[in-house]
Amino acid sequence: MINFSKTTLLIILLVIFFLAAGFFAYQWWQIKGELARQIEENENLKNQIAELQKEIEKLKISQPG
């Protein structure tokens, strides 16, 4: 087996830790962006539904009964 000094081993472990942390941070950033996009789409759909409901109410009121 290769004999690493404690300093070399610590450096290798820190590099692996930071690579893993960077990978997970990137994944989190991607998911956060996707969720923000979906929330924005949902808000737009809610606004469209509200407008359609208003139009439906206007049509119901304007129709002779």
Side-chain angles (χ1 to χ4, degrees):
M1 183 173 169
I2 300 173
N3 188 11
F4 287 116
S5 69
K6 289 181 182 179
T7 306
T8 305
L9 184 59
L10 179 62
I11 290 171
I12 290 171
L13 290 175
L14 285 173
V15 167
I16 291 171
F17 172 77
F18 283 115
L19 287 174
F23 173 76
F24 287 116
Y26 176 76
Q27 293 297 317
W28 174 79
W29 178 68
Q30 291 290 320
I31 291 170
K32 182 181 173 190
E34 179 66 23
L35 288 175
R37 186 185 61 78
Q38 289 179 1
I39 289 169
E40 184 178 330
E41 286 178 5
N42 287 342
E43 290 297 320
N44 289 338
L45 288 174
K46 286 180 186 179
N47 292 339
Q48 289 176 357
I49 289 170
E51 291 296 321
L52 289 173
Q53 287 175 335
K54 288 178 187 176
E55 289 182 30
I56 289 170
E57 289 300 317
K58 286 180 186 177
L59 289 173
K60 284 182 182 178
I61 293 172
S62 66
Q63 288 182 350

